[in-house]
Amino acid sequence: MDTVRFDKGWRGADDDDREDGSGGMSARCDLLIRGGTIVDGSGGEPFTGDVAILDGRILAVGRFDGTADEVIDATGLTVTPGFVDIHTHYDGQAIWSDRLSPSSSHGVTTVVTGNCGVGFAPCRAEDHDRLIRLMEGVEDIPGVVMAEGLSWDWESFPGYLDALEARPRDIDVAALLPHSPLRVFVMGERGARREAATAQDREKMRAITREALDAGAIGFATSRLLIHRTKAGEHIPTYQADVEELKAIAGVMGEAGTGVLQMVLDAPFASWPDELAHLLAVAEASGRPATFTLGTANKGEPVWREALRICDEANARGLSISPQVLPRPIGMICGFELSTHPFCLCPSYQAIASLPLSGQLAYLRDPEFRDRMISETPDEGHPLAMMTRNWDWIFPLSDPPNYEPAAETSIGAQARARGVRPEEVACELLMNGGAGDGMLYNTLGNFYEGGLGEIYDLINHPGVVMGLGDGGAHYAAICDASYPTFLLTYWTRDRDGPRLGIAQAVQALSSRPAETMGLNDRGRIAPGYKADINVIDLDALRLHAPHVRHDLPGGGRRLDQAATGFVATIVSGRVIRRDDAPTDER
């Protein structure tokens, strides 16, 4: 579908423009969705009606009496806007694939790339390998996948947008200008080594930023996170970048009157007040909206509440700051075929780690090998790999997956109940009866005191926006792009505890993230809006366990996750998925 090139002048229809069934409308349309329960993305009460689509836009909502080239009978079904995921890393997948799954399998019709300040443009030929190593370390995308999958038929950021636009795909892509490639493009080795930008460097960055915004960049993204490192373990070019450099770049957005600032803060390793001071200084200087990743720890003082208070005060004085929250634990999926697991840094396992699972099993099925591996102390390695032994926060991953598991099901609790070492329980679950395909769920955050109660409060906060699907990254460790289906099932229907209403959930997935990023032509079902729509059987909607696919360039592996219950997903009036399967529309 489209590469979204930002147009600050578009305005959707007002609520007063909606055909609500009072009189009907007679005309011709391309596609008619008839008789569904419409949850229009506004947060208002659902209502029954038709949605008529013509030339990729919504023609009418309410009762439509005209003719249609195609009709979808939505009786008994729920009709929603297409969902918008504002934190993804499909920068590479959008080049080498015509499907942006898992996102497009879960009702997402628009994704935003370039997050965390990493990406592939602007970039000179001599820096291709540098950016590949950067993405390999920060976003866990195998270097061989990028080396084979990226065409590099661009150098500038506008050229990258042209490359995106030239390729057909199932859903829309909007792109942030990423800070790390920008810094390396302007400063070369000095930028990679994190040297301070000179006044001349800042002016060059400003000029490239203006060029990117003029070409349609949706904003600018950067990262200050300590554990965002290259494959070699080096800090990324933007780590602790001077606030004056950020002000200079973001100031261009202020002058242009367009663009959103996205930032990953180092709050897990520094204080929220200190980190937010950087964000607020840049947002205040530029006058542009900003969004950042907000999560909770699993225990300790709830310091993120202070972050919310700071944001509320900033918004009260005229800023627009949107904390971005994932509605389930921030976690990694562990397995022998995946990037991390409790034994991935053990010397014995390291010796077989490069083998495919079938080759590993020749060793893993040997009791003597397993006993030796279990008894070993892991070596040091990537920070994420070193977070795989917090036994009381690691759980079996079932089918269907349980993203709010009970404390007594943790590896640590099971080991204590059985009187054995947690390593033994973990290995047994990973071996899964000898198949070696078992998976564990490592909850790194967003699971405060062993539950999602704190997340419930966060996602009900009026200033918070839903995000962090991370699709296109951490291919063999994370599969959070499925969170829209999780929100619609667990949070509105299945949870034993406080839940969300369906109108609130749909608004959180559609109009709220769209408006946060200035995508004001989508996220609502109303006349004039882009015809991005889901038709869903909410009663039948199910989220299945993640599974491994080998469909990346070079046969690279990735986690995928399926859902059932999406009757149709429509982008620009064209049905790109029908009955949980992709169509040929691109």
Side-chain angles (χ1 to χ4, degrees):
M1 285 298 165
D2 294 338
T3 300
V4 181
R5 302 207 180 203
F6 186 70
D7 177 4
K8 63 183 178 181
W10 194 89
R11 173 187 165 277
D14 291 331
D15 288 343
D16 291 342
D17 296 330
R18 188 184 79 192
E19 288 287 341
D20 60 4
S22 58
M25 188 177 201
S26 297
R28 186 199 70 80
C29 67
D30 299 323
L31 176 63
L32 178 63
I33 304 169
R34 188 187 297 282
T37 299
I38 298 172
V39 186
D40 66 6
S42 69
E45 286 299 310
F47 58 95
T48 301
D50 306 330
V51 181
I53 297 168
L54 180 67
D55 296 331
R57 295 275 172 183
I58 296 174
L59 174 66
V61 180
R63 192 179 80 241
F64 184 79
D65 297 326
T67 61
D69 295 342
E70 180 183 355
V71 176
I72 295 176
D73 183 1
T75 304
L77 304 176
T78 300
V79 182
T80 77
F83 305 142
V84 179
D85 189 345
I86 62 178
H87 190 119
T88 79
H89 294 279
Y90 287 116
D91 310 68
Q93 190 171 327
I95 293 295
W96 65 62
S97 177
D98 63 351
R99 288 186 56 218
L100 298 188
S101 66
S103 291
S104 59
S105 302
H106 296 275
V108 173
T109 55
T110 300
V111 296
V112 177
T113 67
N115 285 280
C116 304
V118 293
F120 301 111
C123 184
R124 296 186 178 89
E126 59 265 30
D127 289 319
H128 289 174
D129 288 344
R130 187 190 300 278
L131 292 194
I132 285 175
R133 291 194 301 272
L134 179 65
M135 288 291 272
E136 191 172 19
V138 175
E139 303 301 343
D140 191 29
I141 306 172
V144 65
V145 169
M146 292 179 280
E148 182 164 326
L150 292 172
S151 57
W152 295 113
D153 50 337
W154 64 84
E155 178 175 289
S156 68
F157 192 82
Y160 175 70
L161 292 183
D162 289 341
L164 287 176
E165 197 154 35
R167 290 162 168 81
R169 67 185 60 82
D170 52 359
I171 63 177
D172 288 354
V173 178
L176 296 157
L177 172 67
H179 191 190
S180 279
L182 173 63
R183 215 168 190 274
V184 172
F185 190 82
V186 169
M187 299 174 62
E189 189 65 33
R190 292 186 299 116
R193 291 199 305 264
R194 301 171 41 241
E195 293 184 14
T198 65
Q200 186 178 24
D201 294 332
R202 291 195 294 269
E203 280 306 308
K204 289 181 180 178
M205 290 186 203
R206 283 174 53 84
I208 293 172
T209 301
R210 186 59 195 248
E211 177 189 50
L213 293 172
D214 289 345
I218 198 171
F220 168 76
T222 189
S223 171
R224 296 174 49 81
L225 188 60
L226 176 70
I227 62 172
H228 275 170
R229 297 178 183 243
T230 69
K231 183 67 173 177
E234 302 159 339
H235 290 297
I236 60 174
T238 65
Y239 178 64
Q240 294 184 331
D242 187 79
V243 71
E244 294 305 315
E245 178 180 329
L246 296 174
K247 284 182 180 179
I249 296 168
V252 179
M253 297 195 297
E255 294 163 9
T258 185
V260 178
L261 170 68
Q262 186 270 335
M263 191 179 291
V264 182
L265 303 176
D266 200 31
F269 306 98
S271 75
W272 277 115
D274 288 347
E275 286 297 300
L276 280 169
H278 291 274
L279 177 71
L280 296 182
V282 178
E284 204 145 20
S286 66
R288 296 306 304 162
T291 181
F292 68 97
T293 302
L294 178 66
T296 82
N298 288 348
K299 55 187 177 181
E301 289 296 313
V303 294
W304 49 90
R305 296 177 189 170
E306 174 74 355
L308 277 183
R309 184 191 63 77
I310 294 170
C311 293
D312 289 344
E313 291 178 354
N315 290 336
R317 64 176 189 264
L319 296 183
S320 178
I321 312 297
S322 299
Q324 200 174 130
V325 171
L326 181 71
R328 69 189 193 200
I330 296 171
M332 295 187 300
I333 301 173
C334 301
F336 286 131
E337 199 173 7
L338 303 177
S339 296
T340 68
H341 53 78
F343 310 102
C344 64
L345 296 178
C346 290
S348 292
Y349 183 81
Q350 282 286 300
I352 65 169
S354 62
L355 297 175
L357 180 61
S358 58
Q360 292 182 31
L361 287 175
Y363 298 88
L364 292 170
R365 287 170 177 160
D366 177 1
E368 184 177 330
F369 179 90
R370 287 200 310 275
D371 289 344
R372 183 170 68 251
M373 180 182 71
I374 287 171
S375 68
E376 291 172 342
T377 299
D379 294 333
E380 290 193 8
H382 192 282
L384 292 178
M386 295 175 68
M387 297 179 182
T388 56
R389 293 202 161 202
N390 201 358
W391 302 116
D392 286 338
W393 300 101
I394 301 176
F395 303 85
L397 189 62
S398 54
D399 189 7
N402 183 357
Y403 291 104
E404 194 173 14
E408 60 268 22
T409 66
S410 73
I411 302 302
Q414 289 192 48
R416 288 188 293 272
R418 291 169 51 183
V420 299
R421 298 175 62 193
E423 290 89 345
E424 295 178 47
V425 177
C427 188
E428 179 183 307
L429 290 168
L430 290 172
M431 285 304 295
N432 191 26
D437 58 357
M439 294 184 184
L440 303 176
Y441 189 49
N442 185 4
T443 59
L444 300 176
N446 275 14
F447 203 47
Y448 188 58
E449 297 182 345
L452 295 179
E454 195 73 18
I455 293 301
Y456 177 79
D457 292 341
L458 282 177
I459 61 182
N460 275 284
H461 189 281
V464 164
V465 64
M466 205 75 67
L468 207 61
D470 250 3
H474 303 287
Y475 276 123
I478 292 175
C479 199
D480 287 336
S482 63
Y483 76 83
T485 303
F486 175 74
L487 193 79
L488 292 177
T489 53
Y490 191 71
W491 276 112
T492 71
R493 186 190 69 196
D494 299 337
R495 187 170 189 256
D496 183 14
R499 304 177 194 168
L500 306 179
I502 187 63
Q504 180 186 0
V506 169
Q507 183 181 34
L509 293 170
S510 56
S511 64
R512 174 75 175 112
E515 291 162 4
T516 297
M517 302 306 294
L519 294 168
N520 298 317
D521 65 340
R522 65 198 68 203
R524 291 282 303 277
I525 295 180
Y529 277 76
K530 192 169 179 291
D532 295 351
I533 294 174
N534 287 306
V535 181
I536 307 170
D537 185 343
L538 286 181
D539 292 334
L541 192 62
R542 297 289 183 275
L543 180 61
H544 302 287
H547 58 280
V548 177
R549 299 172 64 103
H550 292 267
D551 60 354
L552 294 178
R557 73 195 187 287
R558 68 182 178 104
L559 283 162
D560 199 359
Q561 193 166 15
T564 52
F566 283 93
V567 176
T569 296
I570 298 158
V571 181
S572 297
R574 297 160 68 183
V575 181
I576 62 109
R577 288 184 65 84
R578 197 186 300 272
D579 296 327
D580 304 310
T583 70
D584 292 332
E585 291 285 357
R586 296 288 180 267

